[in-house]
Amino acid sequence: MTAAPALLPLIGATAVSVKPLESPLFQPARLGPLALPNRLVMAPMTRSRASADGVPQPVMATYYAQRATAGLIIAEASTPNAVGQTYPNITAIHLPSHVDGWRRVTDAVREAGGRMFLQLQHGGRVGHPDNSGLTPVAPSPVPLPEPISTPSGPREAVVPREMTADEIRSTVADFAAAARNAVDAGFAGVEVHAANGYLLHQFLARGTNRRTDSYGGPVAHRIRFTVEVVRAVAEAIGPERVGVRIAPGLTVNGIEEGDTEEIYPALLEALADKGPAYVHVVFADPDQPLFHRIRTMWHGTLIANPVLGWGRPLPADGGREAAERLLAAGADLISLGRPFLANPDLVERLRTGAPVSQVRDEALFYTGGADGYTDYPALDGSGPVAA
């Protein structure tokens, strides 16, 4: 989850012209053993509806089941261990209570006809003792250059503790255990979060990784931790159940990669023999050469997340044109975030050119309860839906 800029107030839904039904967005696809009814993926979006100890709450089952017509849902980031917690009320997947809570969610989605992966995210330096009770850990003792949300409000970030080699190995094992827990909770697979300035991204980037051992320095060393995590997760649950999220060039959470054009080709080459089911590119731009290089190098499924303008109103077509451009540029599946947040029946709206609802204000984005969460109505007039 990225601390979001203020979203604009509710803007009336806008009708758009109906496009032909034969768009590839609505054609079936496969992801490993999964048959997907369409190529639209609900992107992982932190919504802060878990309990203080990371247990998914019943309202979350309602929220995800409402959006089960997506070809695939990638559920919000869940931490693989206690020290990996980022913000308050974030979900986790390292205790039996977490597994039980997530199982209620996956059961509801399955009953509604949907399919789910779970994103695994360790915050690294993006954390605070007021949230986890622990000092954050990171590749190097370089603090987050901005305040972080806590139960008592924004607090200055603390200097993270540099991970030892033993802690790196134990964290790799925690990711593998979390993946097994996710499958036990009913998920079809997991997405390893190596983007958006969290722990794996911190190891990839020069600005946050100042180590001089075999996990720092040249690109071949900085990609090592991510490769080891993906390998361990794939060995734990099978590579066909594993995806990896990357964000080339993204500077959120104070990240400075330094050598983006070298990092990601090296990472993809190292991951090729691990056989993850997909690579998920955040803010993919079909006009950028690196996107095409990634597509050329990666022979598996490529999920692309288009740039729709964070903090601005959703495009009137809900992102359909941007999605189709990425498909034409070689993406296999398209992930959308805010359009799914505001439109539980987004697939049908995009298919028919129906009006698209806009996201309401930020005050509802990361707060608990149904407001701004399960109360967006569907086209057929159903909703708001109470948990």
Side-chain angles (χ1 to χ4, degrees), residues 233-256:
V233 169
E235 289 175 351
I237 63 173
E240 72 282 359
R241 294 176 177 264
V242 180
V244 183
R245 196 181 208 209
I246 59 174
L250 193 65
T251 58
V252 69
N253 283 321
I255 282 292
E256 297 177 6

Side-chain angles (χ1 to χ4, degrees), residues 255-336:
I255 282 292
E256 297 177 6
E257 291 177 341
D259 42 15
T260 301
E261 301 290 333
E262 298 177 32
I263 292 170
Y264 293 96
L267 179 63
L268 294 183
E269 183 177 7
L271 291 177
D273 66 343
K274 312 301 181 297
Y278 69 81
V279 166
H280 183 182
V281 181
V282 178
F283 294 161
D285 185 348
D287 295 328
Q288 292 299 315
L290 184 56
F291 174 79
H292 293 281
R293 190 174 179 192
I294 289 170
R295 173 68 284 182
T296 299
M297 291 189 66
W298 186 252
H299 301 299
T301 297
L302 183 65
I303 303 178
N305 170 242
V307 179
L308 298 183
W310 185 263
R312 298 201 298 269
L314 296 173
D317 68 353
R320 176 168 171 169
E321 180 180 357
E324 290 178 338
R325 284 189 67 223
L326 281 167
L327 286 179
D332 299 296
L333 305 172
I334 303 298
S335 73
L336 296 173

Side-chain angles (χ1 to χ4, degrees), residues 11-378:
I11 296 174
T14 304
V16 296
S17 61
V18 177
K19 300 187 86 173
L21 299 185
E22 61 268 18
S23 166
L25 273 176
F26 311 108
Q27 294 174 355
R30 294 203 67 85
L31 179 63
L34 283 182
L36 310 183
N38 57 69
R39 296 173 185 268
L40 286 161
V41 176
M42 180 177 170
M45 293 175 288
T46 290
R47 302 304 309 278
S48 302
R49 258 71 178 188
S51 66
D53 57 354
V55 177
Q57 297 299 286
V59 69
M60 294 174 60
T62 302
Y63 170 74
Y64 282 113
Q66 288 175 339
R67 291 152 177 82
T69 54
L72 176 70
I73 294 172
I74 306 174
E76 62 205 79
S78 288
T79 56
N81 56 27
V83 75
Q85 181 176 351
T86 50
Y87 313 101
N89 301 106
I90 300 302
T91 62
I93 189 67
H94 55 88
L95 295 175
S97 57
H98 303 148
V99 174
D100 292 342
W102 273 122
R103 190 178 291 119
R104 290 189 285 272
V105 175
T106 61
D107 284 347
V109 170
R110 191 175 302 106
E111 289 172 8
R115 298 136 298 277
M116 294 186 82
F117 269 45
L118 178 66
Q119 187 182 73
L120 304 182
Q121 172 196 276
H122 189 302
R125 70 174 184 169
V126 185
H128 197 279
D130 288 1
N131 295 336
S132 66
L134 301 166
T135 299
V137 296
S140 302
V142 181
L144 184 72
E146 57 196 52
I148 187 165
S149 297
T150 74
S152 58
R155 297 286 302 276
E156 289 300 313
V158 301
V159 177
R161 186 169 51 77
E162 180 170 303
M163 297 173 73
T164 66
D166 285 344
E167 286 174 323
I168 289 174
R169 284 189 288 271
S170 67
T171 302
V172 170
D174 288 342
F175 269 94
R180 287 189 289 268
N181 286 343
V183 171
D184 188 30
F187 288 97
V190 301
E191 176 177 279
V192 175
H193 198 353
N196 293 35
Y198 299 111
L199 182 64
L200 274 65
H201 203 180
Q202 292 160 29
F203 269 88
L204 294 175
R206 268 197 320 217
T208 43
N209 185 345
R210 301 179 184 176
R211 303 175 73 95
T212 58
D213 63 4
S214 58
Y215 288 94
V219 166
H221 289 181
R222 281 184 277 129
I223 68 173
R224 179 180 171 186
F225 178 59
T226 299
V227 173
E228 288 181 352
V229 168
V230 175
R231 178 189 294 124
V233 169
E235 289 175 351
I237 63 173
E240 72 282 359
R241 294 176 177 264
V242 180
V244 183
R245 196 181 208 209
I246 59 174
L250 193 65
T251 58
V252 69
N253 283 321
I255 282 292
E256 297 177 6
E257 291 177 341
D259 42 15
T260 301
E261 301 290 333
E262 298 177 32
I263 292 170
Y264 293 96
L267 179 63
L268 294 183
E269 183 177 7
L271 291 177
D273 66 343
K274 312 301 181 297
Y278 69 81
V279 166
H280 183 182
V281 181
V282 178
F283 294 161
D285 185 348
D287 295 328
Q288 292 299 315
L290 184 56
F291 174 79
H292 293 281
R293 190 174 179 192
I294 289 170
R295 173 68 284 182
T296 299
M297 291 189 66
W298 186 252
H299 301 299
T301 297
L302 183 65
I303 303 178
N305 170 242
V307 179
L308 298 183
W310 185 263
R312 298 201 298 269
L314 296 173
D317 68 353
R320 176 168 171 169
E321 180 180 357
E324 290 178 338
R325 284 189 67 223
L326 281 167
L327 286 179
D332 299 296
L333 305 172
I334 303 298
S335 73
L336 296 173
R338 291 179 303 137
F340 269 110
L341 184 158
N343 298 274
D345 54 353
L346 180 67
V347 175
E348 184 63 16
R349 290 174 188 256
L350 297 189
R351 188 194 307 273
T352 61
V356 174
S357 297
Q358 290 289 332
V359 178
R360 301 211 290 276
D361 65 82
E362 182 193 0
L364 301 175
F365 203 89
Y366 302 121
T367 58
D371 291 349
Y373 191 58
T374 57
D375 59 350
Y376 285 100

